[in-house]
Amino acid sequence: DADVTQTPRNRITKTGKRIMLECSQTKGHDRMYWYRQDPGLGLRLIYYSFDVKDINKGEISDGYSVSRQAQAKFSLSLESAIPNQTALYFCATSDLGRQGLEDGYTFGSGTRLTVV
Amino acid sequence: GENVEQHPSTLSVQEGDSAVIKCTYSDSASNYFPWYKQELGKRPQLIIDIRSNVGEKKDQRIAVTLNKTAKHFSLHITETQPEDSAVYFCAANLPGTASKLTFGTGTRLQVTL
């Protein structure tokens, strides 16, 4: 299912380095999200965007920034990576269904980031 | 904001038995409750969802029940098979312009032969 694509799939970086994770989608959805997954903690929201001009912080936004370059593209940046940002990162998209009701997310394949 | 608690964190069942995973949510305004399955090394995928205007929904061997009064919802898997082994996440949504999902911490289901 290539309609939500994340790059890179895996990345090892050093403490203090800047790194960007990219997400692109072909679903035509307006809503995009960045989550991180840690064992035992589930999926936690970092940032979300409901259209190109809309950016919102999630519950764990400190140390991260985002850019919504187009409807189809939503990038996550770590300005100065630290080891506790080692995690699996997922991008997701969603939209309102035919009845204007919230629909479930479509997740990308994830980026496994290791900060050493 | 919304808080979602999920239990148990791990669950082991024998093939053919049923499995039940339970979640509670904090905000009575929540109106959408999806369940995701994440196989090892894969992305989470939506398997079933329920909205607050119904109490139960079924899709073959899986079903979800919702108790709005108690603010809890459950995933039921019958006749479990080895391919049901995965991590399952529940989630709840708050309606409105800032609508987004809050996830539970996940349940690792192991179906043994």
Side-chain angles (χ1 to χ4, degrees):
Chain A
D1 179 313
D3 44 15
V4 183
T5 303
Q6 289 184 235
T7 55
R9 291 295 306 272
N10 292 281
R11 180 73 181 267
I12 300 174
T13 192
K14 293 183 178 180
T15 298
K17 292 291 187 181
R18 183 180 188 275
I19 183 169
M20 179 182 288
L21 311 183
E22 300 189 355
C23 177
S24 63
Q25 52 115 346
T26 58
K27 297 188 73 69
H29 288 171
D30 286 327
R31 302 177 175 202
M32 299 187 73
Y33 311 82
W34 276 103
Y35 283 83
R36 67 176 277 176
Q37 184 177 17
D38 299 276
L41 297 178
L43 293 152
R44 294 181 292 163
L45 182 63
I46 306 172
Y47 271 94
Y48 61 105
S49 168
F50 284 174
D51 65 42
V52 175
K53 298 178 183 179
D54 176 74
I55 301 289
N56 304 280
K57 292 183 178 181
E59 58 183 304
I60 54 165
S61 59
D62 288 349
Y64 302 94
S65 62
V66 291
S67 173
R68 185 80 184 266
Q69 301 96 323
Q71 187 209 33
K73 294 183 182 296
F74 192 35
S75 300
L76 176 72
S77 293
L78 288 66
E79 296 301 326
S80 180
I82 56 177
N84 76 359
Q85 291 177 313
T86 293
L88 183 56
Y89 290 84
F90 284 104
C91 172
T93 74
S94 76
D95 212 347
L96 298 179
R98 283 175 293 178
Q99 297 178 330
L101 300 176
E102 187 71 36
D103 257 344
Y105 290 178
T106 299
F107 283 90
S109 50
T111 294
R112 184 167 296 280
L113 177 66
T114 303
V115 184
V116 298
Chain B
E2 178 66 280
N3 183 49
V4 177
E5 294 190 358
Q6 183 171 348
H7 300 281
S9 57
T10 60
L11 179 60
S12 182
V13 300
Q14 285 198 320
E15 183 179 8
D17 287 350
S18 296
V20 180
I21 302 170
K22 299 181 179 182
C23 289
T24 60
Y25 60 99
S26 60
D27 198 314
S28 58
S30 291
N31 66 356
Y32 177 64
F33 308 92
W35 285 88
Y36 290 83
K37 175 183 180 183
Q38 186 180 27
E39 297 176 353
L40 190 63
K42 301 283 184 65
R43 71 188 79 189
Q45 293 200 305
L46 179 69
I47 55 171
I48 195 167
D49 56 16
I50 191 168
R51 301 188 190 277
S52 58
N53 59 343
V54 298
E56 184 176 5
K57 184 177 179 180
K58 288 184 179 181
D59 183 2
Q60 300 183 346
R61 295 187 297 108
I62 61 172
V64 57
T65 58
L66 172 65
N67 183 326
K68 288 189 293 183
T69 303
K71 291 189 285 188
H72 66 70
F73 56 113
S74 299
L75 178 71
H76 304 254
I77 307 174
T78 59
E79 301 173 21
T80 53
Q81 300 169 3
E83 52 265 39
D84 294 328
S85 296
V87 178
Y88 292 81
F89 292 98
C90 63
N93 178 51
L94 277 175
T97 56
S99 176
K100 56 192 182 294
L101 291 176
T102 298
F103 286 84
T105 51
T107 296
R108 182 173 298 279
L109 173 65
Q110 182 69 46
V111 180
T112 58
L113 297 173

